[in-house]
Amino acid sequence: MTGGRHRRDTGVRFVLPLLTCLTLVVPAFSGALELQSPSSPLDDPRRPGGDYLTHDPAWTGPAGLLYAIPPTNALGQAWNTSGAALLRANWLANPTPGKALAGPDYDAPTCGRCHLELEPTAAARTSEPAVVLRPALMADRLRYGPQLNTLNSNGDRPEAVASVHWETHWFTFEDGTRRALRRPQVTVVTVDGRELPATRRMAPLLFGWGLLEQLPPQTLAHFHDPDDRNGDGISGQRTGSETEPGIFGWKGAHSTLRGQVAAALAHDMGVTSAAVCPGTGCTPELASEDLDRMVAWLASVGVPARRPGASQRGADLFGQTGCGGCHISALRTAPGSDSRLAEQTVWAYTDLALHDMGEGLADPGDAPDRREWRTAPLWSVGLAEQLLPQRGFLHDGRARDLEEAILWHGGEALAARDRFAALSARERAELLAYLRSL
């Protein structure tokens, strides 16, 4: 990594290739977590979205839990307003006279049915979210495509009807405490009557996506270590290319926010745009400018400030158990024309690399990457656990809280999981309180 550097402190690990002089001071005391930054406000972990995109963690407004920082110019503010409206649009509500854009096959009529943090009311945010279903077998993906929709806007039979059976697995901590874990077993019946194994996908949290997109490729390349050359037991895998690494999606399938949004519109809601209709035989339903407005709004969505209540011991345990091996605490965004996104130190707790997470978290089926998952950012997971109780954690929503999510970690994360399991009940509670403060 050109010009990069690694540094470990108690509870944190960060890579800041564009910051030449950064100091993080973690006072050694018990009680409320007070991380200080005497040298520069840029390295303040209480402001995970940097100087511009960090906001009041108690924010709730017309866009649910999300708060987008408006641009300073009038044109940018107009785009901001219309982009938010498009993200909240109901694509079945005939935006074009006589024709709904959603469908005919789709999974949700609005972005908020999957991304519950977009929902404007608390009641909607505590509802069961829509999920995405994908064929588990490669042969079925070739036959039916990457996604099986469960709704049809014409009143016809949908592509698939799903049934979910929840298996219960028990985990025993070293102190004898037992914890029930659950795992979904999904079967779909297709429109042509075939019964197929499938896998679920939950929508990832939308906080700070614009900042993630601005992380330098050379920074993310630092975590590309498929052969574990440094011998730390972690073999991160970069997706995409050296200049356009994968940033978004559970498998790092998309390198740009525009590509991620266009794919979600097309696959989840059946709304096509020029980004997925590059050639003949496909007529875009959504204007390129409208897609750009949606992307611009999402790029300006901020990150809630750190919440109080975590102890220094919790931060120490996060580092000592090895959680920071993949959940890299702080990264630095690249220079650019948008000061809200450029040259910001962001505390996202991710390396955005794919990791083998073991058989317990593996997709069913025969896909070669069935055990590989991109490290999910941890900022805002405490708010999600508190305010989005039906959403769940991990790629299929199986984990009902953060502890359950940790206990499903295997593969490259198995050693860290086992160190967590070996903690006392009090220590586990302190580490979880630290996570909930992020």
Side-chain angles (χ1 to χ4, degrees):
M1 179 178 61
T2 305
R5 78 180 186 200
H6 249 158
R7 174 175 174 180
R8 283 186 181 270
D9 276 294
T10 53
V12 295
R13 178 187 181 197
F14 35 154
V15 177
L16 299 165
L18 302 176
L19 193 61
T20 57
C21 181
L22 176 67
T23 303
L24 178 70
V25 177
V26 183
F29 66 94
S30 299
L33 183 64
E34 299 261 352
L35 296 180
Q36 300 175 358
S37 51
S39 60
S40 168
L42 292 175
D43 58 1
D44 188 348
R46 295 168 298 186
R47 300 183 58 78
D51 284 352
Y52 299 93
L53 293 191
T54 301
H55 63 79
D56 182 348
W59 164 261
T60 57
L65 301 182
L66 302 184
Y67 178 71
I69 310 300
T72 56
N73 60 76
L75 177 61
Q77 290 176 5
W79 269 52
N80 200 266
T81 300
S82 60
L86 287 164
L87 262 296
R88 297 194 297 270
N90 185 333
W91 300 104
L92 288 178
N94 295 330
T96 301
K99 183 180 185 298
L101 294 190
D105 294 303
Y106 70 103
D107 289 310
T110 69
C111 299
R113 282 297 299 119
C114 294
H115 296 279
L116 292 179
E117 63 271 28
L118 268 170
E119 292 286 2
T121 66
R125 292 194 292 271
T126 57
S127 64
E128 188 78 23
V131 298
V132 166
L133 299 175
R134 296 185 175 176
L137 299 174
M138 297 299 291
D140 292 334
R141 294 186 190 184
L142 291 174
R143 179 169 182 169
Y144 296 101
Q147 191 161 319
L148 292 166
N149 299 120
T150 58
L151 299 171
N152 185 281
S153 59
N154 294 334
D156 299 328
R157 290 181 60 189
E159 284 187 314
V161 175
S163 61
V164 181
H165 167 67
W166 292 95
E167 294 180 343
T168 299
H169 300 258
W170 288 92
F171 184 90
T172 303
F173 292 96
E174 287 198 9
D175 63 8
T177 304
R178 300 184 76 209
R179 172 68 199 261
L181 312 180
R182 65 173 190 171
R183 177 166 61 184
Q185 295 294 325
V186 184
T187 301
V188 299
V189 177
T190 64
V191 69
D192 57 358
R194 298 185 70 223
E195 186 174 297
L196 312 175
T199 180
R200 289 163 43 109
R201 292 287 187 274
M202 303 300 295
L205 293 169
L206 294 171
F207 299 102
W209 280 19
L211 293 165
L212 296 179
E213 188 178 31
Q214 297 304 313
L215 294 173
Q218 65 267 30
T219 297
L220 300 183
H222 177 82
F223 308 117
H224 181 64
D225 185 21
D227 300 318
D228 191 18
R229 293 186 301 273
N230 61 7
D232 64 354
I234 298 172
S235 54
Q237 178 76 41
R238 180 189 59 230
T239 59
S241 67
E242 290 185 10
T243 57
E244 295 183 341
I247 300 289
F248 303 105
W250 290 106
K251 302 286 188 181
H254 300 284
S255 59
T256 67
L257 186 49
R258 194 172 195 270
Q260 172 68 28
V261 174
L265 284 166
H267 296 306
D268 302 349
M269 290 172 280
V271 179
T272 57
S273 63
V276 294
C277 287
T280 60
C282 176
T283 301
E285 298 170 303
L286 185 70
S288 291
E289 185 176 85
D290 285 338
L291 176 61
D292 291 340
R293 291 170 189 264
M294 298 174 73
V295 171
W297 187 82
L298 280 175
S300 63
V301 168
V303 182
R306 285 277 296 274
R307 273 76 65 201
S311 69
Q312 178 57 44
R313 180 60 175 156
D316 292 343
L317 290 168
F318 182 86
Q320 292 166 10
T321 54
C323 299
C326 298
H327 292 284
I328 306 299
S329 303
L331 300 167
R332 182 81 164 155
T333 63
S337 59
D338 189 337
S339 61
R340 300 170 305 161
L341 305 175
E343 298 184 279
Q344 298 294 309
T345 300
V346 296
W347 294 73
Y349 293 83
T350 180
D351 60 8
L352 294 179
L354 294 188
H355 296 280
D356 182 341
M357 296 299 292
E359 195 61 31
L361 274 181
D363 267 340
D366 56 1
D369 62 351
R370 54 188 294 270
R371 293 164 56 115
E372 301 277 338
W373 302 102
R374 185 204 66 159
T375 305
L378 294 181
W379 53 15
S380 305
V381 293
L383 280 181
E385 185 182 56
Q386 176 187 356
L387 301 177
L388 308 174
Q390 297 300 316
R391 177 188 173 275
F393 295 96
L394 303 175
H395 64 280
D396 52 13
R398 69 175 68 185
R400 290 156 289 192
D401 55 39
L402 293 173
E403 181 180 74
E404 189 172 0
I406 293 172
L407 295 178
W408 273 113
H409 281 50
E412 296 172 40
L414 181 61
R417 193 280 309 271
D418 288 347
R419 285 190 283 268
F420 172 78
L423 298 175
S424 68
R426 178 177 178 178
E427 289 174 323
R428 295 197 301 270
E430 288 182 298
L431 193 156
L432 289 169
Y434 174 71
L435 289 179
R436 291 174 178 132
S437 76
L438 299 180

